[in-house]
Amino acid sequence: MKLHNYFRSSASFRVRIALELKGLAYDYLPVHLVKGEHKSEKYAAISASGLVPALETDDGELLSQSMAIIEYLDETHPQPPLLPADALGRARVRALAQLIACEIHPLNNLRVLKYLVRDLKVEEEAKNTWYRHWVRSGLELFEKELARLPAATYCYGDAPTLADCCLVPQIFNGQRFNVDFSGLTRTMAAFEACMRHPAFQKAQPSNCPDNEG
Amino acid sequence: MKLHNYFRSSASFRVRIALELKGLAYDYLPVHLVKGEHKSEKYAAISASGLVPALETDDGELLSQSMAIIEYLDETHPQPPLLPADALGRARVRALAQLIACEIHPLNNLRVLKYLVRDLKVEEEAKNTWYRHWVRSGLELFEKELARLPAATYCYGDAPTLADCCLVPQIFNGQRFNVDFSGLTRTMAAFEACMRHPAFQKAQPSNCPDNEG
């Protein structure tokens, strides 16, 4: 398999975690977002929408959207599972993942920050406030959702799931912008449990070949 | 089952479509977003994160996040299926759904538009331009993704899927803000096929009990 991705992209990081959790080897193919490589003609052949990550399967199929890719990996390589065995558990884990992937992260990705600055003439400080607002307020909702679930090592239960694949990159992102994580007890406990796990360590941006530090 | 939702919420509309496609009866419980009812203490008992929709199952379980709810409905009431039978097909449909739910819709929901006006002091016209920008540019990516898939009546294949549940509310939303849909051939053909289907008709905002016209 080949993963077309960027070290700092949260969505890429999610898929790298899943690949490491599954113990699947893959070729790392960097796409430099800041240099605009995702908008090149070459990359258009890989991803119609020009987004990272894109997973290229051994059969040459090209898959997009990180959560869809992770579910595909989970279905085609079931061990260890990244979703619970029961429908209710799966709904809980998917909802946690989507709370991050649909409510928090979309507001903070590169093209949105660029639009704020270029089109809305938002100053640097207001842009950073925007960033921190959506991460902090989104994680507060995440914490409330976790608080209603049974005690767990990770986001849901005692093994990493799709929810943890989404949580960890979001925390990394927040750290870069000095988001306040205080009081997010369950959330940060799950994050710390993940960071003690070798798969999450291995997948992190600082271990990527295209890492710029 | 009970659906806590709002007639104009895209995420609510997605779940209503799925319920109608499955032929499942449900109680419609309105939550008035503009009046802030989702932030009430009463609603906090239903949804920890205070978001709509929330599905209350007959067992009293409360589920959040529209795509997670739809997958739960699909797993617990498999006919008619809203995802293909094969892993690759499921990955394609989920990716289409997520392209809308993670790349387009989050930038245009009510709390984001409010933040633009209240915190960033963005004028009405610039707010509308923002709205149209993300819907139009996102749907252009969607169209490119569809263009690589085999010819189909709906987004994927000849029966409605999770992708159509997400597409139709996004088009409705775009229509309210006069988004230009020209040239989005496959996308609009799928939308029109959906609108000929009674489930999509029945689920639309104008047929909701809390519709304000």
Side-chain angles (χ1 to χ4, degrees), chain A residues 44-51 57 61-69 71-72 75-76 86-88 90-92 94-96 98-99 101-104 106-107 109 111-112 115-116 118 120 122 126-127 129-130 133-134 141-142 144-145 148, chain B residues 44-51 57 61-69 71-72 75-76 86-88 90-92 94-96 98-99 101-104 106-107 109 111-112 115-116 118 120 122 126-127 129-130 133-134 141-142 144-145 148:
Chain A
I46 303 299
S47 166
S49 52
L51 300 170
T57 71
E61 298 289 350
L62 288 155
L63 305 182
S64 66
Q65 290 295 330
S66 60
M67 291 189 296
I69 293 171
E71 293 234 18
Y72 174 84
E75 292 179 3
T76 52
D86 62 306
L88 185 62
R90 280 195 294 280
R92 299 264 182 252
R94 287 182 179 128
L96 291 171
Q98 289 166 21
L99 186 45
C102 304
E103 312 286 348
I104 306 177
L107 295 163
N109 69 29
R111 68 179 183 282
V112 174
Y115 188 101
L116 288 177
R118 194 193 51 206
L120 296 180
V122 167
K127 184 192 79 175
T129 302
W130 159 283
H133 170 76
W134 296 114
L141 302 187
F142 192 84
K144 284 183 188 174
E145 292 287 351
R148 294 211 185 161
Chain B
I46 303 299
S47 166
S49 52
L51 300 171
T57 71
E61 298 289 351
L62 289 155
L63 305 183
S64 66
Q65 290 295 327
S66 59
M67 291 189 297
I69 293 172
E71 293 234 18
Y72 173 85
E75 292 179 1
T76 53
D86 61 307
L88 186 61
R90 280 195 294 279
R92 299 263 182 254
R94 287 182 179 128
L96 290 171
Q98 290 166 22
L99 185 45
C102 303
E103 313 286 347
I104 305 177
L107 295 163
N109 69 30
R111 67 179 185 283
V112 173
Y115 189 100
L116 288 177
R118 194 192 50 206
L120 296 180
V122 167
K127 184 192 80 174
T129 302
W130 159 283
H133 170 78
W134 296 114
L141 303 186
F142 192 85
K144 285 183 186 173
E145 293 287 351
R148 294 212 184 160

Side-chain angles (χ1 to χ4, degrees), chain A residues 19-188:
Chain A
L19 286 162
E20 295 295 344
L21 285 168
K22 298 281 183 188
L24 297 169
Y26 64 98
D27 293 338
Y28 187 108
L29 298 172
V31 183
H32 202 300
L33 292 194
V34 179
K35 288 183 189 161
E37 288 179 1
H38 57 303
K39 292 178 183 169
S40 68
E41 216 169 295
K42 190 181 151 204
Y43 191 63
I46 303 299
S47 166
S49 52
L51 300 170
V52 293
L55 184 78
E56 201 170 334
T57 71
D58 292 338
D59 301 331
E61 298 289 350
L62 288 155
L63 305 182
S64 66
Q65 290 295 330
S66 60
M67 291 189 296
I69 293 171
I70 294 172
E71 293 234 18
Y72 174 84
L73 291 171
D74 204 42
E75 292 179 3
T76 52
H77 300 83
Q79 295 305 323
L82 300 182
L83 286 167
D86 62 306
L88 185 62
R90 280 195 294 280
R92 299 264 182 252
V93 167
R94 287 182 179 128
L96 291 171
Q98 289 166 21
L99 186 45
I100 290 169
C102 304
E103 312 286 348
I104 306 177
H105 179 249
L107 295 163
N108 296 319
N109 69 29
L110 194 58
R111 68 179 183 282
V112 174
L113 301 181
K114 272 189 179 170
Y115 188 101
L116 288 177
V117 171
R118 194 193 51 206
D119 295 81
L120 296 180
K121 313 293 178 206
V122 167
E123 303 281 343
E124 185 71 11
E125 189 46 38
K127 184 192 79 175
N128 292 341
T129 302
W130 159 283
Y131 192 102
R132 288 190 286 260
H133 170 76
W134 296 114
V135 178
R136 173 75 204 186
S137 63
L139 289 177
E140 284 173 2
L141 302 187
F142 192 84
E143 179 72 17
K144 284 183 188 174
E145 292 287 351
L146 285 188
R148 294 211 185 161
L149 296 174
T153 306
Y154 295 96
C155 286
Y156 187 90
D158 294 325
T161 63
L162 172 65
D164 302 288
C165 294
C166 291
L167 174 63
V168 166
Q170 187 60 66
I171 301 293
F172 266 66
N173 236 329
Q175 286 172 335
R176 283 184 60 220
F177 280 77
N178 299 314
V179 170
D180 170 21
F181 297 115
S182 63
L184 303 171
T185 314
R186 288 273 304 253
T187 305
M188 295 312 287

